[in-house]
Amino acid sequence: MSQKFVVVDLETTGNAPKRGDRIIQLSAVVMQDDEILEQFTSFVNPLHPIPPFITELTGIDDQMVKDAPLFEEIAEKVTTLLDGAVFTAHNVTFDLGFLQNELVEAGFDPFDGPSLDTVELSKIVYPSADSYKLTELSEGFSLSHDQPHRADSDAYATALLLNRLTAKLRELPIVTLEALLNLSYHLKSDVSKIINEIIGEKRHHIENLPPHLEVFRGLALLKKNRSEKPVVSGNIPYPKVEIEKEELLSKVNPLFEKRSGQFQMMDAIMESFIEERHAVIEAGTGIGKTIAYLLPSIFFSLKTNNKVVISTYTNQLQDQLMNKEITALAKVFRASFRTALLKGRSHYIHLLKFEYSLKEQEYQYDSVLSKMQMLVWLTETETGDLEELNLTSGGRLFSNRIKHDGWYMSKEKDPWIERDFYLNARKRADEANIIITNHSMLMSDAMNQNDLLPKYDFLVIDEAHHLEKAAQNHSGISLDYIGLKFLIGQLGTSERKQLFAKLESVLHKFSISPAIHALEIDHHLSNLDQDLDDLFSVLTQIVSRNEKSRQHMQKVTIRINEELSKQRIWQSAVHCAERVRSELKYIRTELEGRLQLLSAEGKKISTEEKAFLEEMHSFLLEWASMEDDLLKIIIRPSTEIVAWMEADLKSVPNSLLVSGKPVSLQRPLNEKLFSQKKAIVMTSASLTVDGSFDYFMKEIGLDKQGVLQLQLASPFQFEKMAKLVVPRDIPDIKTVPMQHYIDAISNYIIGLAQATKGRMLILFTSYDMLKRTYNLIKDSGVLEDFVLMAQGISGGSRTRLTKNFQKFDKAILFGTNSFWEGVDIPGEDLSCLVIVRLPFSPPDEPLVQAKNEQLKSLGINPFTAAALPEAILRFKQGFGRLIRGNEDRGIVIVFDRRIVTTSYGKSFISSIPRIPLIQGELDEITDLIEEWL
């Protein structure tokens, strides 16, 4: 690039210069014509102590800066470097803002030139990157970055990253760059300067479109792979004996280690398919269950020409399966087999809607950024799966507009039909031996009988302990105030530039005059808005009157039961809901009538107008589901559903959520899934309680008659790898007030942290207890040199918190709910797992209450039949966070003494691998930790 760039990074004492935070290190890399010309770096004396957290993060301490220059002593050098340059940084808002403050404080003019944010540019150029943190981008691109969180290393790595980003931009076709340029003027930093210069370079010579790309209707996209179908051979014998299995698996993985449990699992699945019987298989950590179910599935499909569907719990696991294990198998398998990954239609981009969105004069930041990401992504994606994109939360709202919902107009009228990603995925699935999907899609297909998946009779369900939850989520209903308001806001009135106004504009173009005037619909929209406010005002009153809110609980949950439904205030809520539904129905009917009038215009409708009608159709599908949900959950609640309200009392009605889920899914799962398929294999590391699958099978409605049952222990030598510790000097949780218990465990955690030097995951069953414990420890200041992270407090997703936890030596992670499973922290990053209390579901949770009532009505003890086995399975999942590989070592500490003082405690202990159980006081336990770890 001919333009001069100065890449700056700062290390500071905090993030608030207005409150006295100062620079402690500055580095500036000067670049021109894609070359690094010089780098200036200096420590800076901040004139006050550096906080321990900053020293832990950067490695910079007070001793290192005490003889360093003050900022005003280097300010002139900095301004000279910046003269005539583009100020560049990774998160430019922070570095530029901080530097401007220091320049002004030192008596210099603030920098007034252009700025470039490499975070913003990275999001555009690498739209599918897992993270845009500098350390992770540097690692992914093998950029030199020896000392993360040191200004010299960070600035140099950012300069290398800038070169990488501009090189990738140069590879894009000019049609994509021109579309990016039009949008780039609405970004936060001056990305347009780079794109403009690259377009100028490209116009100086004739450029051929790369052979892997095509341009259609002004968009560059990856050409569909139209290679011939692989030849599938069925004459391949399944490896029945161990030596054949070893030979095959060593080709799949050169580091293969023989595990007899894996071979047993393979044979059991093959037997299940051949004999057409269902199977439940618990495979302990380290068995290698993914390969153990993939191999027999492939062999069986090739031999019999039957499709096998494999379902995982999340989209991430689905993608991992396709990109890792399937890829490894495809390289070594002696016959070609076809695999397809299929998700629900709404996961795929609707290209006509996207094309139309690019022509809108709408420049909201997240929408602009997302459009730019998608323009680049279309030159790379084979699937069109929107999940591949790393979008902002605002970007996800935009993607909701251009997702696939089928076609309102005839699909043959869509000019993109030949390139449609969903139809392409469906075609591949029709031709595949193995179809990989997720539990959500599986439930939609099975419960609604709507043929989302091609016809199949053989199924493998991985992470099968989630099957009931997936079925509940599929059948569940939820209504929230913000979501409903947002949906109504999207429609807007005839005068606001939203969907309704656009619809009226198209009608006007064709001189169509509907029977009901737009102003009449505006009136009903105004009524709807008021009725919705009235409904949530009444619901807020109900929540606020609740007993828990009088006890000063911040978050409350209230079950909508028979007692509440008889109260006058609930009847008021029902009347309000009926008014809301009536207005919803009236508006939807009128809008659908308008769409029908337009669709009758047929060929006169332009492509852009067709795209708009498709968007409007998708919107009305959401609108109709809102009507149905109001009916099912408030107006005429089903006896099959348990409904409840939950809210954060600090922010009602905005936080108010009304939810409903089926009490039991045993019958529908049996009727619509198990009785419809010839063989279903369910596998997980957590399916048995006291060595029995009975609880799991009963919960999902599977008749155990004829079911193949196999329990495979982990091959790891747990007795040498882990210890279970129960403190003697923590009070019994049931015998003391909650605050007394929190005080006790907080002191204990402080002692344990100093012994383990961090590397500790603490699992809670209650967010309230987590928050109070975290705040007590943080406020004590005793662990000031530790990095404390807490779910729901520190910010970020579970994945982000886990990654951050792994970056620091002295880190403690406080987690609840989702952290009990699915968190993978191998090796020394996690050495100590603390379980604060045995993971029983709170008995006042609406779903738990309803299940307990149902069991009691049948004369069954809810504790032994449901609460205990559910808690044991969750305990197993929590324990599984500690040992993830055969080199791991660690300690599990259970604060809840019921594990050793109650008769049912031994069921928890026997549910995990046999390891030494030690009871002791804090001094003894810390000595043990120091010796063991």
Side-chain angles (χ1 to χ4, degrees):
M1 307 296 292
S2 59
Q3 176 74 56
K4 173 185 167 187
F5 293 85
V6 175
V7 183
V8 175
D9 190 82
L10 309 176
E11 302 305 332
T12 65
T13 58
N15 57 13
K18 302 286 186 194
R19 293 202 297 269
D21 285 324
R22 303 298 301 270
I23 294 172
I24 55 174
Q25 190 187 27
L26 177 149
S27 187
V29 178
V30 182
M31 296 181 68
Q32 199 159 14
D33 296 322
D34 303 329
E35 288 190 11
I36 293 173
L37 304 180
E38 66 169 302
Q39 180 170 12
F40 167 74
T41 302
S42 177
F43 285 119
V44 181
N45 190 335
L47 296 177
H48 61 70
I50 298 171
F53 169 76
I54 297 297
T55 297
E56 167 77 11
L57 181 69
T58 64
I60 301 171
D61 58 26
D62 294 328
Q63 193 66 27
M64 295 165 76
V65 298
K66 72 170 186 167
D67 297 323
L70 302 176
F71 179 78
E72 45 262 42
E73 295 175 66
I74 63 167
E76 189 171 350
K77 170 70 174 174
V78 172
T79 55
T80 304
L81 288 172
L82 290 174
D83 187 40
V86 177
F87 185 101
T88 305
H90 204 70
N91 186 7
V92 77
T93 308
F94 173 79
D95 293 278
L96 182 55
F98 216 106
L99 188 67
Q100 299 285 44
N101 192 76
E102 291 273 21
L103 285 169
V104 171
E105 288 281 323
F108 287 78
D109 291 332
F111 175 76
D112 61 356
S115 64
L116 175 68
D117 188 356
T118 50
V119 174
E120 190 171 58
L121 187 56
S122 298
K123 287 178 178 179
I124 295 161
V125 176
Y126 290 101
S128 300
D130 290 335
S131 165
Y132 297 107
K133 289 195 169 182
L134 184 59
T135 47
E136 285 163 45
L137 288 169
S138 300
E139 188 179 329
F141 299 140
S142 302
L143 305 177
S144 175
H145 195 196
D146 301 331
Q147 288 185 291
H149 304 295
R150 289 288 281 268
D152 48 351
S153 184
D154 283 356
Y156 192 78
T158 304
L160 297 178
L161 175 63
L162 178 60
N163 269 350
R164 176 93 185 201
L165 297 172
T166 52
K168 174 88 185 292
L169 279 171
R170 287 191 181 100
E171 293 170 9
L172 293 172
I174 199 160
V175 66
T176 300
L177 288 167
E178 286 171 340
L180 290 172
L181 182 64
N182 290 336
L183 292 162
S184 66
Y185 297 114
H186 307 281
L187 294 173
K188 291 177 180 175
S189 74
D190 297 297
V191 170
S192 57
K193 284 193 166 294
I194 285 186
I195 298 173
N196 213 1
E197 185 167 335
I198 291 171
I199 289 173
E201 291 171 7
K202 282 180 174 271
R203 282 186 176 144
H204 282 115
H205 59 270
I206 296 170
E207 182 183 75
N208 293 322
L209 192 68
H212 65 283
L213 297 179
E214 63 172 334
V215 174
F216 184 71
R217 298 181 64 83
L219 287 179
L221 61 161
L222 191 68
K223 283 181 182 173
K224 292 278 184 291
N225 183 358
R226 304 189 192 282
S227 59
E228 290 186 16
K229 299 174 191 174
V231 177
V232 175
S233 165
N235 301 317
I236 304 161
Y238 172 74
K240 290 182 179 176
V241 296
E242 283 198 1
I243 195 159
E244 291 172 348
K245 289 185 176 76
E246 286 180 48
E247 190 180 320
L248 179 63
L249 286 166
S250 59
K251 289 178 185 174
V252 176
N253 178 9
L255 302 175
F256 166 74
E257 293 177 13
K258 179 182 169 183
R259 287 164 287 191
S260 58
Q262 189 176 45
F263 295 169
Q264 284 179 264
M265 185 170 173
M266 287 171 62
D267 290 343
I269 292 171
M270 202 66 178
E271 181 185 336
S272 163
F273 286 160
I274 290 168
E275 296 182 0
E276 297 186 358
R277 56 194 285 222
H278 299 324
V280 287
I281 302 173
E282 182 176 79
T285 307
I287 286 286
K289 68 178 166 68
T290 306
I291 293 295
Y293 63 66
L294 279 173
L295 277 171
S297 298
I298 293 166
F299 276 108
F300 178 76
S301 179
L302 290 173
K303 183 178 180 180
T304 64
N305 207 27
N306 278 294
K307 290 184 187 304
V308 178
V309 170
I310 293 171
S311 179
T312 66
Y313 183 50
T314 64
N315 290 318
Q316 288 86 347
L317 287 170
Q318 193 180 349
D319 293 334
Q320 180 184 311
L321 200 61
M322 193 74 179
N323 298 328
K324 189 178 172 188
E325 282 85 3
I326 290 287
T327 302
L329 289 170
K331 285 178 183 173
V332 299
F333 226 73
R334 283 184 288 161
S336 295
F337 62 93
R338 302 184 205 119
T339 312
L341 188 151
L342 189 59
K343 298 182 180 180
R345 188 158 45 198
S346 62
H347 286 274
Y348 300 91
I349 190 170
H350 192 296
L351 287 165
L352 183 60
K353 289 182 189 174
F354 178 62
E355 180 195 349
Y356 166 71
S357 77
L358 292 173
K359 295 174 182 176
E360 294 174 326
Q361 302 296 307
E362 190 266 319
Y363 299 115
Q364 192 272 335
Y365 177 75
D366 287 302
S367 297
V368 167
L369 182 63
S370 300
K371 288 175 188 179
M372 294 180 76
Q373 288 181 285
M374 289 173 188
L375 283 164
V376 175
W377 171 68
L378 284 173
T379 67
E380 303 167 346
T381 182
E382 294 180 6
T383 67
D385 177 5
L386 291 161
E387 288 277 334
E388 292 175 356
L389 290 160
N390 188 345
L391 300 172
T392 62
S393 54
R396 284 192 288 275
L397 288 175
F398 169 74
S399 75
N400 205 41
R401 281 186 52 207
I402 49 96
K403 70 183 182 186
H404 215 308
D405 276 315
W407 288 268
Y408 175 68
M409 308 285 284
S410 166
K411 68 182 177 187
E412 284 69 29
K413 294 180 181 177
D414 184 346
W416 289 95
I417 193 75
E418 291 294 318
R419 294 164 178 81
D420 185 79
F421 286 109
Y422 171 69
L423 290 181
N424 198 51
R426 181 62 202 243
K427 183 170 180 285
R428 283 200 303 268
D430 287 337
E431 296 167 353
N433 302 96
I434 307 294
I435 298 169
I436 296 171
T437 190
N438 55 59
H439 293 1
S440 174
M441 176 89 160
L442 181 72
M443 289 299 102
S444 295
D445 179 71
M447 297 301 205
N448 300 341
Q449 306 285 296
N450 55 9
D451 298 325
L452 291 173
L453 295 166
K455 188 177 183 327
Y456 70 97
D457 288 309
F458 299 88
L459 168 66
V460 176
I461 301 175
D462 195 0
E463 300 297 312
H465 62 279
H466 283 303
L467 182 62
E468 188 197 18
K469 189 201 291 184
Q472 275 185 337
N473 289 342
H474 168 75
S475 306
I477 304 165
S478 68
L479 293 165
D480 70 289
Y481 181 72
I482 293 290
L484 295 172
K485 286 291 231 186
F486 178 76
L487 197 65
I488 294 167
Q490 278 185 296
L491 184 60
T493 61
S494 60
E495 292 181 356
R496 288 166 57 196
K497 292 180 180 178
Q498 302 284 24
L499 291 173
F500 185 32
K502 289 177 186 175
L503 180 61
E504 291 304 295
S505 173
V506 179
L507 287 164
H508 180 72
K509 177 186 167 184
F510 287 99
S511 303
I512 296 172
S513 300
I516 302 296
H517 195 277
L519 291 176
E520 180 66 19
I521 295 176
D522 281 349
H523 177 67
H524 282 273
L525 278 163
S526 177
N527 288 345
L528 171 60
D529 208 42
Q530 185 57 55
D531 290 340
L532 191 64
D533 283 345
D534 290 346
L535 170 61
F536 276 83
S537 174
V538 176
L539 296 178
T540 298
Q541 287 178 51
I542 296 170
V543 167
S544 303
R545 290 180 183 183
N546 180 259
E547 185 184 340
K548 280 187 181 174
S549 62
R550 290 199 295 272
Q551 294 170 0
H552 309 294
M553 295 281 284
Q554 186 182 327
K555 292 187 176 180
V556 296
T557 302
I558 302 164
R559 186 172 163 198
I560 303 168
N561 54 16
E562 195 176 344
E563 183 188 343
L564 177 60
S565 65
K566 288 176 181 174
Q567 292 177 22
R568 184 178 296 175
I569 194 166
W570 181 254
Q571 292 306 313
S572 297
V574 172
H575 292 320
C576 290
E578 285 170 340
R579 291 205 309 272
V580 171
R581 186 167 180 268
S582 174
E583 294 292 6
L584 287 169
K585 188 175 181 182
Y586 175 87
I587 293 163
R588 177 178 54 80
T589 304
E590 290 305 322
L591 295 178
E592 284 174 347
R594 281 161 153 73
L595 287 190
Q596 286 167 9
L597 290 171
L598 281 170
S599 63
E601 294 295 318
K603 293 180 180 177
K604 295 180 191 174
I605 297 178
S606 70
T607 306
E608 286 78 11
E609 286 153 359
K610 283 176 191 167
F612 170 68
L613 294 185
E614 295 296 349
E615 184 181 349
M616 196 72 202
H617 169 63
S618 297
F619 175 81
L620 288 176
L621 290 175
E622 279 192 69
W623 193 274
S625 72
M626 189 160 56
E627 290 175 49
D628 289 344
D629 291 348
L630 269 171
L631 185 70
K632 290 176 186 171
I633 207 167
I634 296 178
I635 299 168
R636 283 202 292 277
S638 164
T639 53
E640 305 279 305
I641 285 177
V642 56
W644 67 93
M645 294 181 289
E646 53 191 286
D648 184 331
L649 293 176
K650 283 187 176 176
S651 55
V652 284
N654 287 9
S655 64
L656 214 157
L657 178 71
V658 188
S659 301
K661 286 185 178 178
V663 182
S664 168
L665 284 149
Q666 295 167 347
R667 189 165 50 82
L669 278 171
N670 195 324
E671 291 175 359
K672 296 183 178 182
L673 187 64
F674 298 121
S675 64
Q676 301 293 322
K677 305 300 172 192
K678 291 179 179 176
I680 299 176
V681 174
M682 286 150 282
T683 183
S684 164
S686 309
L687 294 180
T688 64
V689 175
D690 285 333
S692 168
F693 290 97
D694 286 358
Y695 172 72
F696 169 70
M697 290 193 286
K698 186 170 146 299
E699 285 296 290
I700 60 171
L702 177 61
D703 183 353
K704 65 180 181 181
Q705 189 70 35
V707 173
L708 189 158
Q709 300 178 37
L710 179 64
Q711 189 176 3
L712 299 167
S714 168
F716 296 160
Q717 293 182 298
F718 276 95
E719 67 279 4
K720 295 179 181 177
M721 301 166 76
K723 294 184 188 296
L724 175 63
V725 176
V726 182
R728 280 204 189 94
D729 46 349
I730 281 184
D732 189 317
I733 192 166
K734 289 289 188 183
T735 62
V736 293
M738 187 54 67
Q739 190 55 51
H740 185 116
Y741 186 73
I742 289 169
D743 291 342
I745 65 170
S746 298
N747 289 329
Y748 231 92
I749 289 166
I750 289 168
L752 294 173
Q754 289 165 333
T756 63
K757 298 179 175 58
R759 298 175 298 164
M760 184 157 62
L761 171 63
I762 308 169
L763 293 177
F764 292 79
T765 58
S766 148
Y767 176 73
D768 183 61
M769 187 189 284
L770 177 151
K771 188 177 177 183
R772 286 158 69 180
T773 307
Y774 170 84
N775 286 334
L776 192 62
I777 292 171
K778 193 162 184 69
D779 293 346
S780 74
V782 180
L783 298 184
E784 194 179 27
D785 55 341
F786 284 72
V787 180
L788 306 182
M789 302 172 210
Q791 185 182 3
I793 297 171
S794 305
S797 65
R798 181 180 72 177
T799 305
R800 182 177 294 178
L801 282 171
T802 305
K803 282 183 177 177
N804 288 344
F805 173 75
Q806 290 173 280
K807 282 180 188 170
F808 298 99
D809 290 333
K810 298 175 81 172
I812 302 171
L813 180 55
F814 298 70
T816 183
N817 296 333
S818 61
F819 275 85
W820 281 82
E821 58 179 297
V823 176
D824 203 354
I825 309 173
E828 292 184 359
D829 290 333
L830 177 63
S831 302
C832 180
L833 174 73
V834 175
I835 292 176
V836 170
R837 66 183 298 174
L838 296 176
F840 289 102
S841 293
D844 57 351
E845 269 187 12
L847 204 52
V848 175
Q849 265 186 356
K851 273 190 176 182
N852 289 350
E853 288 164 10
Q854 197 176 65
L855 290 167
K856 281 178 186 173
S857 71
L858 298 170
I860 299 169
N861 182 334
F863 180 78
T864 52
L868 181 59
E870 181 196 39
I872 289 169
L873 287 177
R874 205 161 170 222
F875 182 77
K876 286 173 79 165
Q877 290 154 14
F879 174 82
R881 300 312 96 218
L882 186 67
I883 305 295
R884 308 300 294 166
N886 57 11
E887 299 294 319
D888 292 356
R889 276 167 70 87
I891 288 184
V892 180
I893 301 173
V894 179
F895 286 163
D896 192 336
R897 287 196 49 76
R898 288 178 295 175
I899 199 167
V900 289
T901 60
T902 63
S903 58
Y904 58 78
K906 62 179 181 291
S907 296
F908 286 91
I909 295 168
S910 65
S911 72
I912 59 175
R914 191 183 295 275
I915 58 174
L917 169 62
I918 298 156
Q919 295 188 60
E921 297 190 352
L922 181 58
D923 290 347
E924 298 170 280
I925 293 169
T926 53
D927 288 347
L928 170 71
I929 288 170
E930 286 166 2
E931 181 187 330
W932 173 250
L933 298 180

